[in-house]
mmCIF file of all heavy atoms in Angstrom:
data_model
loop_
_atom_site.group_PDB
_atom_site.id
_atom_site.type_symbol
_atom_site.label_atom_id
_atom_site.label_comp_id
_atom_site.label_asym_id
_atom_site.label_seq_id
_atom_site.Cartn_x
_atom_site.Cartn_y
_atom_site.Cartn_z
ATOM 1 N N ARG A 1 77.465 83.850 98.054
ATOM 2 C CA ARG A 1 78.218 82.717 98.470
ATOM 3 C C ARG A 1 79.697 82.950 98.180
ATOM 4 O O ARG A 1 80.032 83.409 97.095
ATOM 5 C CB ARG A 1 77.732 81.410 97.764
ATOM 6 C CG ARG A 1 76.343 80.987 98.238
ATOM 7 C CD ARG A 1 75.933 79.695 97.572
ATOM 8 N NE ARG A 1 75.685 79.894 96.119
ATOM 9 C CZ ARG A 1 74.568 80.366 95.608
ATOM 10 N NH1 ARG A 1 73.545 80.668 96.391
ATOM 11 N NH2 ARG A 1 74.420 80.502 94.300
ATOM 12 N N LYS A 5 79.876 78.655 99.964
ATOM 13 C CA LYS A 5 79.267 78.720 101.265
ATOM 14 C C LYS A 5 78.577 80.067 101.459
ATOM 15 O O LYS A 5 79.106 81.099 101.023
ATOM 16 C CB LYS A 5 80.290 78.524 102.384
ATOM 17 C CG LYS A 5 80.931 77.137 102.379
ATOM 18 C CD LYS A 5 81.954 77.037 103.479
ATOM 19 C CE LYS A 5 82.616 75.651 103.462
ATOM 20 N NZ LYS A 5 83.669 75.529 104.432
ATOM 21 N N THR A 9 72.963 87.193 103.979
ATOM 22 C CA THR A 9 71.777 87.485 103.209
ATOM 23 C C THR A 9 71.420 88.928 103.414
ATOM 24 O O THR A 9 71.408 89.421 104.530
ATOM 25 C CB THR A 9 70.578 86.582 103.680
ATOM 26 O OG1 THR A 9 70.948 85.208 103.570
ATOM 27 C CG2 THR A 9 69.346 86.847 102.851
ATOM 28 N N PHE A 39 79.534 96.346 95.032
ATOM 29 C CA PHE A 39 80.861 96.769 94.553
ATOM 30 C C PHE A 39 81.907 95.955 95.304
ATOM 31 O O PHE A 39 81.679 95.424 96.386
ATOM 32 C CB PHE A 39 81.087 98.270 94.666
ATOM 33 C CG PHE A 39 81.273 98.758 96.048
ATOM 34 C CD1 PHE A 39 82.517 98.888 96.589
ATOM 35 C CD2 PHE A 39 80.160 99.108 96.843
ATOM 36 C CE1 PHE A 39 82.692 99.358 97.881
ATOM 37 C CE2 PHE A 39 80.328 99.598 98.119
ATOM 38 C CZ PHE A 39 81.602 99.705 98.663
ATOM 39 N N GLN A 41 85.984 96.228 96.460
ATOM 40 C CA GLN A 41 87.076 97.157 96.666
ATOM 41 C C GLN A 41 88.265 96.393 97.226
ATOM 42 O O GLN A 41 88.108 95.627 98.172
ATOM 43 C CB GLN A 41 86.682 98.275 97.636
ATOM 44 C CG GLN A 41 87.776 99.288 97.882
ATOM 45 C CD GLN A 41 87.278 100.393 98.757
ATOM 46 O OE1 GLN A 41 86.123 100.782 98.756
ATOM 47 N NE2 GLN A 41 88.173 100.944 99.582
ATOM 48 N N ASN A 51 105.931 98.857 90.133
ATOM 49 C CA ASN A 51 104.536 99.305 89.964
ATOM 50 C C ASN A 51 104.418 99.922 88.575
ATOM 51 O O ASN A 51 105.309 100.521 88.048
ATOM 52 C CB ASN A 51 104.150 100.370 91.007
ATOM 53 C CG ASN A 51 104.068 99.771 92.393
ATOM 54 O OD1 ASN A 51 103.639 98.696 92.625
ATOM 55 N ND2 ASN A 51 104.555 100.540 93.361
ATOM 56 N N ASP A 55 100.556 108.243 83.243
ATOM 57 C CA ASP A 55 100.125 109.620 83.315
ATOM 58 C C ASP A 55 98.885 109.778 82.483
ATOM 59 O O ASP A 55 98.935 109.530 81.250
ATOM 60 C CB ASP A 55 101.196 110.597 82.817
ATOM 61 C CG ASP A 55 102.477 110.588 83.641
ATOM 62 O OD1 ASP A 55 102.348 110.531 84.855
ATOM 63 O OD2 ASP A 55 103.555 110.654 83.046
ATOM 64 N N ARG A 62 108.358 112.753 91.776
ATOM 65 C CA ARG A 62 109.014 112.896 93.093
ATOM 66 C C ARG A 62 110.542 112.976 92.878
ATOM 67 O O ARG A 62 111.094 112.174 92.176
ATOM 68 C CB ARG A 62 108.693 111.693 93.985
ATOM 69 C CG ARG A 62 109.399 111.804 95.325
ATOM 70 C CD ARG A 62 109.498 110.460 96.055
ATOM 71 N NE ARG A 62 108.262 109.770 96.268
ATOM 72 C CZ ARG A 62 108.007 108.556 95.816
ATOM 73 N NH1 ARG A 62 108.884 107.902 95.111
ATOM 74 N NH2 ARG A 62 106.857 107.992 96.083
ATOM 75 N N ASP A 86 110.591 116.688 96.923
ATOM 76 C CA ASP A 86 109.972 117.634 95.973
ATOM 77 C C ASP A 86 108.914 116.896 95.188
ATOM 78 O O ASP A 86 109.299 115.944 94.444
ATOM 79 C CB ASP A 86 111.044 118.274 95.076
ATOM 80 C CG ASP A 86 110.461 119.102 93.955
ATOM 81 O OD1 ASP A 86 109.251 119.390 93.969
ATOM 82 O OD2 ASP A 86 111.232 119.521 93.061
ATOM 83 N N ILE A 92 98.825 117.809 82.146
ATOM 84 C CA ILE A 92 99.413 117.529 80.885
ATOM 85 C C ILE A 92 98.641 118.222 79.728
ATOM 86 O O ILE A 92 99.213 118.736 78.797
ATOM 87 C CB ILE A 92 99.447 116.012 80.611
ATOM 88 C CG1 ILE A 92 100.388 115.345 81.577
ATOM 89 C CG2 ILE A 92 99.868 115.693 79.179
ATOM 90 C CD1 ILE A 92 100.419 113.834 81.549
ATOM 91 N N GLU A 98 90.748 120.790 89.280
ATOM 92 C CA GLU A 98 90.533 121.034 90.718
ATOM 93 C C GLU A 98 90.402 119.722 91.489
ATOM 94 O O GLU A 98 90.172 118.668 90.936
ATOM 95 C CB GLU A 98 89.254 121.888 90.920
ATOM 96 C CG GLU A 98 89.338 123.266 90.328
ATOM 97 C CD GLU A 98 88.123 124.064 90.579
ATOM 98 O OE1 GLU A 98 87.052 123.509 90.946
ATOM 99 O OE2 GLU A 98 88.181 125.304 90.411
ATOM 100 N N ASN A 99 90.522 119.842 92.798
ATOM 101 C CA ASN A 99 90.331 118.712 93.729
ATOM 102 C C ASN A 99 91.252 117.525 93.412
ATOM 103 O O ASN A 99 90.822 116.396 93.290
ATOM 104 C CB ASN A 99 88.899 118.259 93.760
ATOM 105 C CG ASN A 99 87.952 119.381 94.144
ATOM 106 O OD1 ASN A 99 88.183 120.022 95.187
ATOM 107 N ND2 ASN A 99 86.945 119.638 93.330
ATOM 108 N N GLU A 111 110.794 109.069 108.173
ATOM 109 C CA GLU A 111 109.787 109.660 109.070
ATOM 110 C C GLU A 111 109.623 111.124 108.659
ATOM 111 O O GLU A 111 110.587 111.855 108.486
ATOM 112 C CB GLU A 111 110.343 109.580 110.494
ATOM 113 C CG GLU A 111 109.397 110.062 111.543
ATOM 114 C CD GLU A 111 109.953 109.804 112.933
ATOM 115 O OE1 GLU A 111 109.809 108.723 113.481
ATOM 116 O OE2 GLU A 111 110.582 110.772 113.490
ATOM 117 N N GLU A 113 108.987 114.982 108.951
ATOM 118 C CA GLU A 113 109.138 116.049 109.921
ATOM 119 C C GLU A 113 107.863 116.913 109.770
ATOM 120 O O GLU A 113 107.756 117.692 108.838
ATOM 121 C CB GLU A 113 110.380 116.899 109.591
ATOM 122 C CG GLU A 113 111.665 116.130 109.679
ATOM 123 C CD GLU A 113 112.335 116.237 111.048
ATOM 124 O OE1 GLU A 113 112.475 117.358 111.524
ATOM 125 O OE2 GLU A 113 112.668 115.183 111.566
ATOM 126 N N ASN A 114 106.932 116.695 110.639
ATOM 127 C CA ASN A 114 105.638 117.315 110.519
ATOM 128 C C ASN A 114 105.740 118.837 110.605
ATOM 129 O O ASN A 114 106.175 119.373 111.637
ATOM 130 C CB ASN A 114 104.681 116.792 111.642
ATOM 131 C CG ASN A 114 103.258 117.215 111.420
ATOM 132 O OD1 ASN A 114 102.959 118.222 110.790
ATOM 133 N ND2 ASN A 114 102.340 116.429 111.953
ATOM 134 N N THR A 118 107.178 121.179 113.809
ATOM 135 C CA THR A 118 108.533 121.637 113.812
ATOM 136 C C THR A 118 108.653 122.942 113.009
ATOM 137 O O THR A 118 107.842 123.209 112.140
ATOM 138 C CB THR A 118 109.480 120.583 113.168
ATOM 139 O OG1 THR A 118 109.031 120.325 111.818
ATOM 140 C CG2 THR A 118 109.508 119.312 113.937
ATOM 141 N N GLU A 119 109.676 123.728 113.357
ATOM 142 C CA GLU A 119 109.871 124.968 112.615
ATOM 143 C C GLU A 119 110.410 124.718 111.239
ATOM 144 O O GLU A 119 111.044 123.696 110.977
ATOM 145 C CB GLU A 119 110.866 125.837 113.407
ATOM 146 C CG GLU A 119 110.255 126.361 114.692
ATOM 147 C CD GLU A 119 110.948 127.606 115.163
ATOM 148 O OE1 GLU A 119 111.505 128.334 114.330
ATOM 149 O OE2 GLU A 119 110.874 127.866 116.358
ATOM 150 N N GLU A 122 115.874 126.200 107.220
ATOM 151 C CA GLU A 122 116.464 127.194 106.349
ATOM 152 C C GLU A 122 116.999 126.528 105.089
ATOM 153 O O GLU A 122 117.985 125.817 105.127
ATOM 154 C CB GLU A 122 117.616 127.915 107.049
ATOM 155 C CG GLU A 122 117.166 128.862 108.126
ATOM 156 C CD GLU A 122 116.376 130.036 107.575
ATOM 157 O OE1 GLU A 122 116.732 130.538 106.480
ATOM 158 O OE2 GLU A 122 115.414 130.448 108.209
ATOM 159 N N TRP A 125 117.450 127.769 98.743
ATOM 160 C CA TRP A 125 117.319 127.369 97.323
ATOM 161 C C TRP A 125 115.877 127.087 96.949
ATOM 162 O O TRP A 125 115.559 127.003 95.760
ATOM 163 C CB TRP A 125 118.207 126.144 97.036
ATOM 164 C CG TRP A 125 117.999 124.996 97.989
ATOM 165 C CD1 TRP A 125 118.691 124.751 99.148
ATOM 166 C CD2 TRP A 125 117.022 123.928 97.854
ATOM 167 N NE1 TRP A 125 118.185 123.618 99.752
ATOM 168 C CE2 TRP A 125 117.188 123.108 98.978
ATOM 169 C CE3 TRP A 125 116.051 123.636 96.912
ATOM 170 C CZ2 TRP A 125 116.392 121.960 99.161
ATOM 171 C CZ3 TRP A 125 115.271 122.508 97.113
ATOM 172 C CH2 TRP A 125 115.464 121.664 98.226
ATOM 173 N N THR A 131 101.842 126.124 97.890
ATOM 174 C CA THR A 131 101.142 125.826 99.159
ATOM 175 C C THR A 131 99.889 125.057 98.810
ATOM 176 O O THR A 131 99.068 125.533 98.070
ATOM 177 C CB THR A 131 100.778 127.138 99.922
ATOM 178 O OG1 THR A 131 102.009 127.858 100.158
ATOM 179 C CG2 THR A 131 100.131 126.781 101.224
ATOM 180 N N HIS A 143 99.349 113.430 102.293
ATOM 181 C CA HIS A 143 98.347 113.771 101.270
ATOM 182 C C HIS A 143 98.340 115.298 101.144
ATOM 183 O O HIS A 143 98.282 116.033 102.122
ATOM 184 C CB HIS A 143 96.925 113.373 101.704
ATOM 185 C CG HIS A 143 96.725 111.918 101.910
ATOM 186 N ND1 HIS A 143 96.734 111.004 100.905
ATOM 187 C CD2 HIS A 143 96.533 111.214 103.053
ATOM 188 C CE1 HIS A 143 96.522 109.786 101.397
ATOM 189 N NE2 HIS A 143 96.416 109.904 102.707
ATOM 190 N N PHE A 145 96.304 118.360 98.971
ATOM 191 C CA PHE A 145 95.111 118.627 98.205
ATOM 192 C C PHE A 145 95.306 119.958 97.511
ATOM 193 O O PHE A 145 95.599 120.965 98.163
ATOM 194 C CB PHE A 145 93.872 118.676 99.118
ATOM 195 C CG PHE A 145 93.660 117.378 99.820
ATOM 196 C CD1 PHE A 145 94.325 117.047 100.992
ATOM 197 C CD2 PHE A 145 92.812 116.423 99.294
ATOM 198 C CE1 PHE A 145 94.117 115.859 101.637
ATOM 199 C CE2 PHE A 145 92.603 115.166 99.910
ATOM 200 C CZ PHE A 145 93.266 114.904 101.093
ATOM 201 N N HIS A 154 105.531 122.989 92.618
ATOM 202 C CA HIS A 154 106.432 122.166 93.431
ATOM 203 C C HIS A 154 105.974 122.254 94.909
ATOM 204 O O HIS A 154 105.895 123.351 95.443
ATOM 205 C CB HIS A 154 107.881 122.625 93.268
ATOM 206 C CG HIS A 154 108.440 122.364 91.945
ATOM 207 N ND1 HIS A 154 109.104 121.214 91.627
ATOM 208 C CD2 HIS A 154 108.387 123.099 90.802
ATOM 209 C CE1 HIS A 154 109.488 121.256 90.346
ATOM 210 N NE2 HIS A 154 109.060 122.389 89.802
ATOM 211 N N TYR A 157 108.399 118.815 101.301
ATOM 212 C CA TYR A 157 108.300 118.466 102.717
ATOM 213 C C TYR A 157 109.593 117.741 103.094
ATOM 214 O O TYR A 157 110.355 117.313 102.261
ATOM 215 C CB TYR A 157 107.069 117.636 102.997
ATOM 216 C CG TYR A 157 107.028 116.240 102.450
ATOM 217 C CD1 TYR A 157 107.373 115.130 103.258
ATOM 218 C CD2 TYR A 157 106.671 115.986 101.133
ATOM 219 C CE1 TYR A 157 107.377 113.862 102.754
ATOM 220 C CE2 TYR A 157 106.634 114.704 100.635
ATOM 221 C CZ TYR A 157 106.986 113.646 101.442
ATOM 222 O OH TYR A 157 106.958 112.366 100.971
ATOM 223 N N ALA A 172 104.565 107.753 93.972
ATOM 224 C CA ALA A 172 103.824 108.988 94.258
ATOM 225 C C ALA A 172 102.623 108.967 93.313
ATOM 226 O O ALA A 172 102.720 108.594 92.159
ATOM 227 C CB ALA A 172 104.686 110.199 94.007
ATOM 228 N N ALA A 176 92.519 112.958 90.580
ATOM 229 C CA ALA A 176 91.393 113.856 90.676
ATOM 230 C C ALA A 176 90.326 113.167 91.508
ATOM 231 O O ALA A 176 89.920 112.035 91.172
ATOM 232 C CB ALA A 176 90.844 114.249 89.313
ATOM 233 N N ASP A 179 87.005 112.320 89.522
ATOM 234 C CA ASP A 179 87.098 111.741 88.136
ATOM 235 C C ASP A 179 88.309 110.869 88.077
ATOM 236 O O ASP A 179 89.427 111.363 87.918
ATOM 237 C CB ASP A 179 87.133 112.836 87.093
ATOM 238 C CG ASP A 179 86.974 112.281 85.673
ATOM 239 O OD1 ASP A 179 87.181 111.046 85.513
ATOM 240 O OD2 ASP A 179 86.716 113.064 84.786
ATOM 241 N N SER A 186 103.965 107.465 89.685
ATOM 242 C CA SER A 186 105.353 107.364 89.270
ATOM 243 C C SER A 186 106.278 107.297 90.484
ATOM 244 O O SER A 186 105.921 107.701 91.603
ATOM 245 C CB SER A 186 105.787 108.569 88.419
ATOM 246 O OG SER A 186 105.891 109.742 89.236
ATOM 247 N N ALA A 195 123.622 102.538 108.402
ATOM 248 C CA ALA A 195 124.017 103.081 109.678
ATOM 249 C C ALA A 195 125.235 103.961 109.530
ATOM 250 O O ALA A 195 126.086 103.695 108.665
ATOM 251 C CB ALA A 195 124.277 101.967 110.693
#
Side-chain angles (χ1 to χ4, degrees):
R1 290 183 291 277
K5 296 179 181 177
T9 302
F39 71 94
Q41 180 176 329
N51 293 319
D55 296 320
R62 175 199 307 121
D86 173 9
I92 294 174
E98 295 181 345
N99 301 309
E111 185 175 275
E113 298 268 310
N114 190 334
T118 58
E119 290 204 25
E122 287 294 322
W125 53 267
T131 302
H143 299 289
F145 300 85
H154 292 268
Y157 70 98
D179 188 344
S186 73

